Amino acid sequence: MMNRYISHTFLIFNSSFLICLFSCSVSKQISKQANTVLLKDTAVSTGHIGISIYEPATGTYWYNYNATKNFIPASNTKLFTLYAGMKCLGDSLVAARVRNNGSDISVYPAGDPGFLNREFSFQPLFQYLKSSKTIYINNSAWRSEAFGNGWAWNDYNESYMAERSSLPVFGNLIEFTLKNNTVEINSNAVDLLSNEGSESTVKFDAETRKVSSDKFYIEKPYGSNDFYIKDARSSFRRASIPFKTNDEFVALLLKDTLHAEDVTFFKSPASSINLAGTITIRSQPSDSLFKPMMYRSDNFFAEQTLLMASNERLGYMYDEAIIDTLLRTDLKDVPQKPKWVDGSGLSRYNLFTPQSFIYILNKLKNEFGWDRVKNILPTGGTGTLASYYKKEAGFIYAKTGTLSNNCALSGYLITKKGSFLIFSVLVNNYSTGATPVRKAVEKFLVAIRENY
């Protein structure tokens, strides 16, 4: 009996010892490779880099370099937002909760970015509201701001920085297209476009929306919903510009689209919000939102996902509160507590370590299943990885992250010897563009897939 016990103990010790030997050997090899390919790369070496490579099957780190130090993660932040969405939103999104009062309808928005978004043909909230003449929208659950903490304010005209809101309409973008010298707009609710007060020589007719030349661009001043035509050297074809999400403007858009007589936003005291008698209208399958959020790194979808998670978990939409709640509960064992401030990663106030991304990627796989996760993340040659890892399609699934002078890549890698790895590479403060940094990271990760 004693001999069997000793033999069993020896086998456990021996296997652990072998894993340790293998891990140490691999770590040394990867360290040499990292020194050659990444740390001494002419682009990467001008900044700072953190690397972590982990094998979940054995629970061992194959390699760490600055892996517990904080970096600006850019859109890798969306991995934590994805977890929030998958944890809190279930299989389908809540479009709104509504109460039919007979003569009017009360709407309690839930932050769904798919409402009247052309990307989603299924529009149950629109179908419910389109025959209503009087609509009251209770905005009491909204406790956030249109812009996230630390966003670059002067990007307000860019489509990637649409404002956040409780009831997004058209993705909170006004779309302008030019066809046959006529400017087409995705809404007729207000006279949006003019060249009065601008220095443009392009003539614009507000009634016919015809222009005298296609050499122009469209811009709006900060904080307004006045859009102006201005001279440009290149031809205009299409532009998606965020609008200011004030209640009056959104009400006009909704009146026009729903053909309603009256749409009114209001707020009641938080303590008096009464959802009794409401019905829940669900819109899209959750993954139909999460997939484009990750594939094209959609900032607006990410921000609204975090706000929807807050609404379902806490009963109101406040990004700071849901982040704090998740870090105190579901994510309380994250190895280094991040400074997490928004859903998209637009903010440079975000700070995460490479090991924190190893943690969240492992948690996503364990809690929601590998098949679901790999269907949401892009693989080589697709999404934001369209120009990279083309030969590794089906063997790498990852999220990119890019801000000027900062880029990141975190995800899963299956090696040619069948090892399933989780990795995170965060690079900050380099002085070049992102392309040479991404190519160096690609060379490093492809070599790991080839050799282990």
Side-chain angles (χ1 to χ4, degrees), residues 132-395:
S132 304
K133 296 304 179 183
T134 303
I135 301 170
Y136 295 106
I137 300 172
N138 190 318
N139 212 20
S140 303
W142 178 252
R143 301 188 189 177
S144 290
E145 301 292 336
F147 292 148
N149 191 17
W151 289 8
W153 73 269
N154 56 343
D155 287 347
Y156 68 91
N157 264 323
E158 303 297 332
S159 60
Y160 58 76
M161 212 171 94
E163 293 190 4
R164 309 182 300 188
S165 67
S166 65
L167 184 62
V169 180
F170 306 127
N172 287 352
L173 298 170
I174 297 295
E175 295 181 6
F176 300 90
T177 55
L178 183 64
K179 294 182 181 179
N180 301 321
N181 280 351
T182 301
V183 179
E184 297 184 356
I185 307 175
N186 69 338
S187 174
N188 297 314
V190 287
D191 186 11
L192 291 167
L193 188 60
S194 73
N195 55 4
E196 294 180 8
S198 74
E199 298 177 357
S200 176
T201 59
V202 177
K203 294 181 180 180
F204 172 74
D205 187 306
E207 291 186 6
T208 64
R209 288 182 175 163
K210 287 191 175 295
V211 288
S212 60
S213 167
D214 66 352
K215 298 292 194 297
F216 68 90
Y217 70 99
I218 297 174
E219 184 181 72
K220 76 179 184 71
Y222 180 75
S224 83
N225 280 317
D226 298 320
F227 295 80
Y228 296 100
I229 287 178
K230 296 192 174 183
D231 291 335
R233 295 181 180 178
S234 56
S235 297
F236 178 87
R237 288 293 176 264
R238 178 185 300 272
S240 295
I241 303 176
F243 59 79
K244 188 68 181 172
T245 55
N246 60 64
D247 293 348
E248 294 78 10
F249 185 77
V250 176
L252 283 173
L253 294 178
L254 289 173
K255 281 180 67 177
D256 175 69
T257 305
L258 298 170
H259 304 293
E261 293 176 0
D262 183 40
V263 177
T264 303
F265 280 80
F266 72 98
K267 280 193 173 186
S268 58
S271 59
S272 67
I273 296 177
N274 180 15
L275 297 178
T278 62
I279 64 171
T280 299
I281 297 180
R282 293 189 174 272
S283 59
Q284 321 304 323
S286 297
D287 287 5
S288 69
L289 176 70
F290 299 153
K291 189 167 183 175
M293 177 177 88
M294 305 308 277
Y295 258 65
R296 64 171 180 253
S297 199
D298 193 297
N299 295 322
F300 181 62
F301 283 3
E303 294 298 334
Q304 295 298 136
T305 292
L306 194 60
L307 292 167
M308 285 189 291
S310 176
N311 196 54
E312 297 311 305
R313 182 81 171 254
L314 305 176
Y316 55 89
M317 287 172 260
Y318 187 23
D319 53 340
E320 184 177 331
I322 188 61
I323 288 170
D324 178 67
T325 298
L326 289 170
L327 290 177
R328 286 188 293 102
T329 56
D330 303 271
L331 305 178
K332 63 180 182 298
D333 53 345
V334 63
Q336 296 87 31
K337 184 178 178 180
K339 184 178 181 182
W340 178 15
V341 301
D342 69 4
S344 62
L346 277 170
S347 176
R348 292 176 184 266
Y349 293 165
N350 288 305
L351 292 173
F352 290 76
T353 70
Q355 283 189 0
S356 65
F357 286 115
I358 299 294
Y359 164 84
I360 200 66
L361 286 160
N362 199 34
K363 199 169 179 66
L364 283 165
K365 177 182 68 69
N366 290 341
E367 291 193 22
F368 306 110
W370 172 235
D371 287 341
R372 186 181 177 193
V373 170
K374 74 176 182 180
N375 185 55
I376 292 172
L377 291 176
T379 189
T382 67
T384 55
L385 294 177
S387 300
Y388 300 92
Y389 305 96
K390 294 181 180 180
K391 294 182 179 179
E392 283 65 51
F395 297 97

Side-chain angles (χ1 to χ4, degrees), residues 29-30 37-38 50 62 71 115 126 134 141 159 186 190 199 206 272 310 315 377 432:
Q29 293 175 49
I30 295 176
V37 177
L38 278 180
W62 280 21
F71 291 82
F115 180 51
F126 169 76
T134 303
S159 60
N186 69 338
V190 287
E199 298 177 357
S272 67
S310 176
L377 291 176
T432 68

